Amino acid sequence: MTQSAEWRLIEVESGRCIAERAELAASWWSRLRGLIGRKEFCADQALVLRPCSAIHTIGMRFPIDVLFLDHRGTVQRVVENVRPQRIGPICRRSQIVIELPAGTARKFGLVPGRRLGLRRADGKAVSWQDNSVTAPF
């Protein structure tokens, strides 16, 4: 489901690391599967779905926080503590969805208007428009 490169999810303005291990889901199948079947979702993990404007938690075992971002990585909507076995939420204007362990959005004060980005393990920031972020794997 994930690309071999190691990614970190960061808050652009502060450079603060939100998740040490961000997995990318860019193919239709990897987005559909998402976190289904996993037994846990650790505090330092994130799942980035692109393109995406809606999620489901059918088949999941734990609640998650969901961030809906525009094409620039600006948070449009935050939905906290989405329980398993749900359809939605939807945010039609989003192009990127980030799933985080429940409580992460509150812990980091993630609200609409904040900008998030990806950084490679080597420290290089990567634009959301970069093909390495959107290419299926």
Side-chain angles (χ1 to χ4, degrees):
M1 175 174 78
T2 62
Q3 193 168 356
S4 59
E6 291 184 32
W7 301 92
R8 289 178 176 80
L9 179 68
I10 59 153
E11 185 178 31
V12 173
E13 289 81 13
S14 67
R16 180 171 55 160
C17 184
I18 305 299
E20 287 288 332
R21 297 179 291 157
E23 298 180 33
L24 307 178
S27 71
W28 180 86
W29 176 249
S30 64
R31 289 190 313 269
L32 178 68
R33 183 161 185 253
L35 298 169
I36 294 172
R38 293 194 191 189
K39 293 180 181 174
E40 63 181 10
F41 196 29
C42 297
D44 65 345
Q45 290 182 297
L47 180 65
V48 178
L49 302 109
R50 175 144 193 225
C52 188
S53 61
I55 61 108
H56 70 87
T57 59
I58 305 295
M60 290 177 52
R61 300 176 182 179
F62 42 79
I64 58 173
D65 288 349
V66 182
L67 308 177
F68 292 91
L69 285 61
D70 67 11
H71 68 284
R72 293 183 44 228
T74 304
V75 176
Q76 301 296 306
R77 182 176 178 196
V78 177
V79 183
E80 296 183 47
N81 204 33
V82 178
R83 295 181 311 195
Q85 315 312 322
R86 303 288 188 260
I87 300 288
I90 299 170
C91 181
R92 297 195 192 288
R93 65 185 180 269
S94 75
Q95 296 181 4
I96 303 160
V97 169
I98 299 177
E99 297 179 345
L100 298 162
T104 304
R106 185 173 305 264
K107 174 182 175 184
F108 287 98
L110 301 174
V111 295
R114 295 280 172 98
R115 287 200 53 225
L116 301 180
L118 291 177
R119 187 166 301 213
R120 295 183 195 271
D122 63 9
K124 180 184 176 198
V126 180
S127 164
W128 288 109
Q129 288 77 29
D130 187 311
N131 285 337
S132 67
V133 175
T134 59
F137 27 87

